[in-house]
Amino acid sequence: MKKKLISVALVSAMLIGCLSACGSSSGQGDNGKLYVYNWGEYIDEDVIEQFEEETGIDVVYDMFETNEIMFAKLAQDTSAYDVICPSDYMIQKLIEKDMIQPLNFTNIPNAKNIGDEYFKNSEVFDPGNRYSVPYCWGTVGILYNKTMVTDPVNSWDILWDPKYSGQILMQDSVRDAFMVALIKNGYSLNTTDPAEIEKATQDLIAQKPLVQAYVIDQVRDKMIGGEAALGVIYSGEAIYTVRENRDLEYVVPDEGSNIWIDSWVITKGSKNVSNAEKWIDFMCRGDIALKNFEYITYSTPNIEAQNNIEDEDIKGSKVAFPDLSTMKLEAFKYLGDSGDKLYNDAWMKVKSAN
């Protein structure tokens, strides 16, 4: 879900010319197509049809399961897609690798509906908010079954309790898995200290015999079906699961967690820039953002949409819209190729351990 050390002044100077070019490039969008790459089950499909009907643009829509899968595909050809929806740290990586382009916000007027606090959090990975527009956001925590867990769930430590052996679900994602172990030990989830990463690695290896499975989307279904007692999950998934199974409850442990933001960006090689701008602007409409939120249950940063939520329980939900000022939260950053290698090598040790 989530480097730029380039000076703001330099980027600003570059942006003046780039935005003008982006807004007027001949042939951009003339073919009536738009190639979108998004997370699985991350949009109301009726929204895609509505966009096509209102604009006359034919959408070719593909889905990915992880940021890393998306990056590998885009690295082969940045023109394969026009608009994509990466997470925070991956947006930072795409900027540093020169794989996405600055946005012309003149052509995205509905971006005004995105709350200031979300753009503020985006500054961590997109200084000046020049490349991205927030789409969904949330936290990562523990989902547990109240009929199966008898202990207080307020610490990541419970995921190492032998009492729940075979009943624990972990995220099959290097950064998310290490986030749990790092924060449990009081470390930053963005650490590049080899000793801290090694400590987290050994903890994850020690935990491995207790883990039923390393999964991603399947956490939701397994927890709803009562197949596990505890699972690491994204807050948006938790909202859905609690609707389906009232025995489930979601908490962000006291030690803290990750706050993530997924945002729309336009690829550097996009052949349909004007259509991509229309797409992002459409997604920022209050009615569309609300429709997507009601369908996917991931928290929307769109203030107009938030104000029009009719379900008072959801509107006041501390899972969907928590008071961020009361929580210890940290966003993922891109740690460079050397940082990636540290974590990937450590993850390989965890996955290959007996």
Side-chain angles (χ1 to χ4, degrees):
M1 283 161 237
K2 318 265 213 252
K3 350 201 201 126
K4 282 111 322 40
L5 299 178
I6 302 175
S7 74
V8 172
L10 176 59
V11 174
S12 179
M14 294 168 61
L15 188 60
I16 294 174
C18 182
L19 292 186
S20 175
C22 289
S24 61
S25 295
S26 61
Q28 298 288 1
D30 289 346
N31 66 8
K33 294 277 189 180
L34 180 68
Y35 295 84
V36 179
Y37 204 21
N38 193 12
W39 297 86
E41 299 181 24
Y42 215 37
I43 196 170
D44 185 332
E45 292 184 5
D46 289 343
V47 164
I48 301 175
E49 293 181 11
Q50 186 175 342
F51 176 79
E52 291 179 319
E53 290 172 0
E54 291 190 19
T55 64
I57 297 169
D58 181 25
V59 176
V60 179
Y61 191 92
D62 289 339
M63 295 172 285
F64 57 85
E65 191 172 42
T66 69
N67 281 293
E68 287 67 32
I69 290 173
M70 178 277 301
F71 179 83
K73 183 72 174 288
L74 200 65
Q76 296 175 2
D77 180 8
T78 64
S79 67
Y81 296 97
D82 299 300
V83 61
I84 57 177
C85 188
S87 302
D88 31 51
Y89 74 94
M90 185 56 68
I91 292 171
Q92 187 177 357
K93 182 175 182 176
L94 291 169
I95 293 171
E96 291 195 2
K97 299 292 185 182
D98 195 28
M99 294 168 66
I100 56 177
Q101 60 181 273
L103 301 176
N104 184 347
F105 280 90
T106 301
N107 296 331
I108 312 173
N110 284 319
K112 70 180 186 300
N113 292 327
I114 305 301
D116 291 341
E117 69 175 318
Y118 307 108
F119 272 123
K120 182 178 179 181
N121 277 295
S122 295
E123 290 270 4
V124 173
F125 55 88
D126 180 9
N129 295 296
R130 302 177 185 281
Y131 291 84
S132 62
V133 177
Y135 174 58
C136 292
W137 69 281
T139 57
V140 180
I142 299 174
L143 184 70
Y144 69 99
N145 190 311
K146 292 178 286 186
T147 68
M148 302 169 71
V149 179
T150 57
D151 303 288
V153 183
N154 52 24
S155 170
W156 292 111
D157 283 336
I158 198 169
L159 300 178
W160 274 260
D161 190 332
K163 182 188 303 183
Y164 302 106
S165 178
Q167 296 295 309
I168 296 168
L169 300 173
M170 287 288 288
Q171 286 287 317
D172 191 13
S173 163
V174 55
R175 293 299 296 270
D176 287 323
F178 270 88
M179 178 276 291
V180 174
L182 289 167
I183 290 184
K184 178 180 78 74
N185 287 302
Y187 305 145
S188 166
L189 52 79
N190 291 306
T191 185
T192 54
D193 183 326
E196 294 180 349
I197 294 174
E198 178 60 21
K199 168 60 176 170
T201 301
Q202 293 306 315
D203 280 358
L204 290 171
I205 290 174
Q207 180 206 34
K208 193 172 180 182
L210 309 179
V211 175
Q212 178 189 120
Y214 295 92
V215 287
I216 300 180
D217 295 336
Q218 298 94 326
V219 175
R220 176 186 64 191
D221 298 330
K222 282 179 171 289
M223 292 298 296
I224 290 173
E227 298 178 42
L230 300 142
V232 178
I233 199 169
Y234 303 111
S235 55
E237 295 282 272
I239 294 170
Y240 174 82
T241 60
V242 172
R243 284 180 180 174
E244 298 297 311
N245 185 339
R246 293 298 179 179
D247 290 331
L248 301 177
E249 188 163 328
Y250 173 85
V251 297
V252 174
D254 293 343
E255 298 100 331
S257 186
N258 167 232
I259 180 173
W260 55 266
I261 298 177
D262 293 340
S263 303
W264 294 112
V265 302
I266 298 177
T267 64
K268 187 67 178 287
S270 171
K271 297 181 176 67
N272 303 287
V273 173
S274 63
N275 288 353
E277 292 169 340
K278 289 182 176 69
W279 173 270
I280 297 175
D281 191 56
F282 187 76
M283 293 298 150
C284 289
R285 261 174 43 182
D287 60 321
I288 297 302
L290 179 58
K291 193 170 185 177
N292 278 328
F293 169 68
E294 291 176 339
Y295 183 82
I296 65 176
T297 68
Y298 276 82
S299 301
T300 175
N302 192 297
I303 301 303
E304 183 179 337
Q306 290 181 17
N307 290 337
N308 289 318
I309 295 172
E310 294 183 355
D311 187 328
E312 291 300 323
D313 289 337
I314 292 295
K315 197 170 187 176
S317 168
K318 292 183 179 180
V319 177
F321 303 106
D323 182 354
L324 300 182
S325 67
T326 65
M327 306 170 75
K328 298 177 183 177
L329 299 172
E330 186 179 4
F332 282 126
K333 297 179 181 178
Y334 171 53
L335 304 175
D337 290 343
S338 60
D340 278 353
K341 187 176 189 308
L342 274 174
Y343 279 90
N344 289 334
D345 288 350
W347 186 230
M348 286 293 292
K349 287 176 64 175
V350 173
K351 297 303 284 286
S352 61
N354 294 322

